[in-house]
Amino acid sequence: MFRFSQLCESVAATTKKTEKIRLVADYLRSASPEDAPLAALYLCGRVFPRREERVLSVGFSILLAAVAAIVKKNPRELAPTLRHHGDIGAGAEEILQAQQTPSPLVLADIAAIYDALARLRGPAAKQSLFEQTLARLSALEAKYFIKLCTGELRIGLKESLVEEALARCYHQLLVSVQRANMLIGDISETLRQAAAGRLAEIQLQLFRPISVMLASPVDTVADLIATFPTGALVEEKFDGIRAQVHKRGAQVEIFSRTLDRVTEFPELLPPIRKVPADFILDGEIIGWRNGRAIPFTELQQRLGRKQIDLFTTTLIPASFVAFDLLFLNGDTLLDFQLAERRLKLVDLLTSYEQPEVQFTRAELCTTAQEIEAAFQAALANGNEGLIAKAPQSPYVPGRRGRFWIKLKRPLATLDVVVTAAEYGHGKRRGLLSDYTFAVRDERRLVNIGKAYSGVTDAEIRQLTDYFLAHTIEDHGQVRSVDPQIILEVAFNNIQRSNRHNSGFALRFPRIVRLRRDKPVAEIDTLDRVREIFASQHRHDQREP
């Protein structure tokens, strides 16, 4: 663990991409066969593979209490140190600086501890194991042990760079490593296969979900036309839950974009079972009533429910709308052109389409007039806008490129993460209901606004409970919180501002919805904010 922690320090100390890759490759080359796969996983900032649903459920209060118990101090005494660092891992290193002797623990030992933490129930048991572990670690090791626990490694190392290090270490083509990692969903297993020279044998498998293909946003029809000068397949963009359906025989599983199982829509399973094939579909779960999509805010009421009854499914009916076919009867279709995949999709589902299982209608548009007409029709149908796709495009999981482009309704939105929660007033007195939120800027989060409207009373109560349990700093009226809750916020425009460390502020922000389907790594970036600001500025200059 000590050597791994030293690696993390070295990677964080350099801004050069090639040097980061070299450091990781050299480490993996010299690591034991047991530790190398774990190191690859941990360097991606995760303690479990992304295709697994295990979580540590270790909140800030447990971490702080464990550190305080070791140094025999009141947790409140440690607040200045934590405030100085803004990072409990780095703060713990300073607090535990007397512990300088490297521990004998290797990464396999650390993995066993993470596994035990995930299995333990109750904060007391978790805190006890945490204390025992921290007592054995040096200050540097404790820093990275905690950073991994919180999912905040932040050493300037993306998974794509770890993939490059694997390719360099094991003399494999980068594209082969990237494809294998995408299909497996576990970089530690990808490393094992690369070391054994078996990357070419990796295939797409049923019930092992892969990352979904993403669309890049544009702001105008002209931008979309410029991306596809010879035309694009255009379909309506639904406001729902991205989902991947896997079916073999009578077995059906639905997975979210975060690769977790989706269980809140059992009424979708029987109609999917009726389709006589083995397949993987990419699509969207939407609310569907009287022949059209219903607002996401209604569908959202079904998320997180453990008991699904006839009343629920009747009151808020759901539909799975497929727009791509990735696997069919043993054949992987990822490298097929979209136009071919669409033909197979239509052929597969046409005879079995019903309100619970549908597929999108794609139209080839070649002019701005055709796209504008399709866009206005989508808005009239109550949908978000359009998705335009290159007919010849392959399916490229997990990456946002120019093969797919989305054009949404004029009201701009951003996906952001909550960094602070403030107590409200009036009927919201005693509830954390005002939320400061941030976007990503390379390795840090930068605040860009604050909103309080758009969430229900029930959601406010749930969020209050969550933020109380995940408080980083308690300032009385305001609490800095663990940045894990994702919001989609709408706003009128963006203006420059010294109030937030992003340098920008959203004007009239309001919460559209909670994004439980989205990880922090996929929130919008400061670069995206700058793009919207620049586009808005160009538009303002055109106004008479």
Side-chain angles (χ1 to χ4, degrees), residues 61 71 190 211 220 235 281 294 312 351 356 358 426 435 464 475:
S61 59
V71 295
T190 300
S211 298
T220 67
E235 57 197 51
L281 299 172
I294 62 177
T312 303
S351 300
E356 291 82 8
Q358 307 178 52
Y435 311 122
T464 296
H475 305 288

Side-chain angles (χ1 to χ4, degrees), residues 306-328:
K306 295 182 179 180
Q307 298 296 325
I308 307 295
D309 52 28
L310 181 60
F311 175 78
T312 303
T313 58
T314 302
L315 183 65
I316 312 172
S319 175
F320 175 75
V321 183
F323 50 70
D324 216 325
L325 179 63
L326 314 185
F327 178 94
L328 181 63

Side-chain angles (χ1 to χ4, degrees), residues 205-507:
Q205 291 185 18
L206 284 162
F207 308 109
R208 191 167 68 186
I210 61 173
S211 298
V212 298
M213 187 168 179
L214 303 171
S216 295
V218 296
D219 298 314
T220 67
V221 170
D223 293 335
L224 195 154
I225 284 291
T227 305
F228 301 114
T230 60
L233 288 172
V234 172
E235 57 197 51
E236 296 191 9
K237 184 182 187 307
F238 293 99
D239 187 12
I241 303 163
R242 187 73 176 268
Q244 196 176 111
V245 170
H246 290 232
K247 175 186 177 291
R248 179 171 55 212
Q251 183 182 2
V252 177
E253 294 278 3
I254 303 176
F255 300 93
S256 69
R257 66 183 291 163
T258 53
L259 312 186
D260 298 316
R261 282 181 173 80
V262 176
T263 59
E264 293 95 333
F265 306 97
E267 73 273 25
L268 300 181
L269 304 184
I272 293 172
R273 287 193 185 98
K274 292 180 181 178
V275 183
D278 299 340
F279 52 75
I280 299 175
L281 299 172
D282 187 12
E284 198 94 3
I285 296 174
I286 63 172
W288 187 262
R289 186 187 299 124
N290 299 327
R292 63 180 290 157
I294 62 177
F296 180 81
T297 51
E298 291 190 51
L299 181 68
Q300 191 175 28
Q301 297 175 46
R302 293 191 53 176
L303 297 180
R305 286 177 177 258
K306 295 182 179 180
Q307 298 296 325
I308 307 295
D309 52 28
L310 181 60
F311 175 78
T312 303
T313 58
T314 302
L315 183 65
I316 312 172
S319 175
F320 175 75
V321 183
F323 50 70
D324 216 325
L325 179 63
L326 314 185
F327 178 94
L328 181 63
N329 293 329
D331 294 327
T332 298
L333 307 181
L334 300 178
D335 295 327
F336 282 53
Q337 293 188 1
L338 173 63
E340 296 179 72
R341 302 198 307 272
R342 286 282 320 179
L343 288 174
K344 292 179 181 293
L345 174 69
V346 173
D347 183 60
L348 175 69
L349 295 183
T350 294
S351 300
Y352 301 92
E353 195 173 27
Q354 53 186 291
E356 291 82 8
V357 180
Q358 307 178 52
F359 58 88
T360 57
R361 269 52 182 178
E363 177 184 359
L364 183 63
C365 294
T366 57
T367 68
Q369 291 78 12
E370 290 174 337
I371 291 175
E372 181 63 38
F375 181 66
Q376 294 304 325
L379 297 184
N381 288 334
N383 295 319
E384 282 195 315
L386 298 178
I387 295 285
K389 304 174 180 179
Q392 73 279 9
S393 61
Y395 192 92
V396 186
R399 287 177 170 78
R400 204 181 293 277
R402 306 300 288 181
F403 284 137
W404 290 11
I405 298 294
K406 59 184 177 183
L407 177 65
K408 298 174 70 173
R409 60 170 57 101
L411 186 65
T413 67
L414 288 171
D415 290 325
V416 299
V417 64
V418 177
T419 57
E422 183 176 349
Y423 284 101
H425 304 278
K427 72 173 186 176
R428 293 185 174 186
R429 184 179 178 84
L431 296 172
L432 292 168
S433 58
D434 298 8
Y435 311 122
T436 298
F437 48 80
V439 294
R440 286 188 297 112
D441 179 27
E442 296 295 334
R443 292 161 53 185
R444 64 183 186 134
L445 298 173
V446 289
N447 290 336
I448 194 169
K450 177 180 175 182
Y452 59 89
S453 63
V455 285
T456 67
D457 290 344
E459 287 171 336
I460 290 172
R461 288 191 293 272
Q462 292 171 358
L463 288 173
T464 296
D465 291 341
Y466 180 89
F467 290 137
L468 288 173
H470 294 79
T471 294
I472 295 176
E473 293 184 35
D474 183 355
H475 305 288
Q477 183 68 11
V478 181
R479 289 171 177 253
S480 299
V481 298
D482 190 16
Q484 295 297 324
I485 298 297
I486 312 301
L487 307 175
E488 181 181 1
V489 295
F491 51 94
N492 286 21
N493 55 49
I494 298 174
Q495 55 194 19
R496 291 198 179 277
S497 172
N498 295 324
R499 188 176 13 151
H500 302 300
N501 60 348
S502 64
F504 296 94
L506 305 188
R507 192 161 183 258

